Amino acid sequence: MLDARFRGLSWSHRAVNEGDLHQINSMRKAGLRVPTIFHAFANQSGGFETVGFEIKDIYNAIEKQRRAGATDAEAALKFLGILRTTDCGMFWKYSLDGDKRLENLFWWDGTSSYDYSVFGDVLDFDATYGRNKYKCHLVIFSRVDHHIRTVVFGCAILSNESEGRYV
């Protein structure tokens, strides 16, 4: 039988409960690093062996929270939806691949739509690649107006740069 003060070190008894997780999140928001947080828990509980979890359990709990949050694509689509409530000219279109991942995204706002109606006789587009963490193409549709200022008509994120994506 394992002594009660060492049960927290046993794999089957190790767990970061909701109260501890709330305290960990509060400490992280205050700028404390995970090792410092673990030491604070050890001081509270009377030693490292009585904390009830190990430092790697904190890292695992943080990673689990991060993965449970919305993906970048979901957050972008939600943001565009919020913009639509304040801008009736907001437009976006997206497509998903076979694994339900964002494949292409195109958007413009009301100002861009108006600018295109005024200055859209000539269109320039710049497709940069490899500058974002997803290795997707960021395409900016723009032109220079009569005051030599850049006017953006719309933007797109493309996973595959082929002619069919632009048409």
Side-chain angles (χ1 to χ4, degrees):
M1 193 81 177
L2 195 61
D3 189 11
R5 65 186 178 132
F6 295 113
R7 281 193 191 131
L9 298 176
S10 172
W11 183 82
S12 61
H13 289 89
R14 280 187 1 223
V16 178
N17 64 37
E18 285 296 318
D20 293 338
L21 192 56
H22 181 69
Q23 191 173 2
I24 289 167
N25 289 334
S26 297
M27 290 176 165
R28 289 187 69 223
K29 284 180 186 174
L32 296 176
R33 294 176 46 235
V34 172
T36 307
I37 293 170
F38 186 66
H39 283 278
F41 274 96
N43 287 335
Q44 281 180 337
S45 63
F48 291 102
E49 65 275 356
T50 59
V51 172
F53 50 85
E54 293 181 5
I55 193 166
K56 68 180 177 181
D57 296 321
I58 296 175
Y59 284 111
N60 290 342
I62 292 168
E63 180 64 18
K64 185 176 180 181
Q65 277 183 326
R66 188 189 65 77
R67 277 186 268 123
T71 64
D72 291 345
E74 290 169 343
L77 295 174
K78 183 178 178 183
F79 177 73
L80 292 173
I82 291 170
L83 286 180
R84 188 174 204 160
T85 61
T86 59
D87 184 357
C88 61
M90 185 72 192
F91 171 81
W92 75 91
K93 188 172 184 175
Y94 65 95
S95 63
L96 304 174
D97 66 4
D99 295 329
K100 302 282 187 193
R101 292 180 299 190
L102 188 64
E103 188 175 36
N104 302 307
L105 173 63
F106 174 78
W107 72 96
W108 76 68
D109 62 0
T111 304
S112 297
S113 178
Y114 175 76
D115 287 343
Y116 181 76
S117 69
V118 175
F119 302 110
D121 55 341
V122 176
L123 181 69
D124 174 42
F125 67 94
D126 177 25
T128 59
Y129 173 72
R131 299 190 185 212
N132 55 45
K133 69 180 183 179
Y134 302 108
K135 304 292 187 235
C136 292
H137 302 275
L138 172 63
V139 182
I140 300 172
F141 300 93
S142 62
R143 180 182 181 226
V144 177
D145 69 4
H146 56 279
H147 295 291
I148 321 252
R149 291 182 301 190
T150 301
V151 179
V152 176
F153 300 134
C155 299
I157 296 174
L158 304 173
S159 63
N160 181 4
E161 188 177 31
S162 63
E163 183 180 345
R165 303 288 184 196
Y166 289 106
V167 178

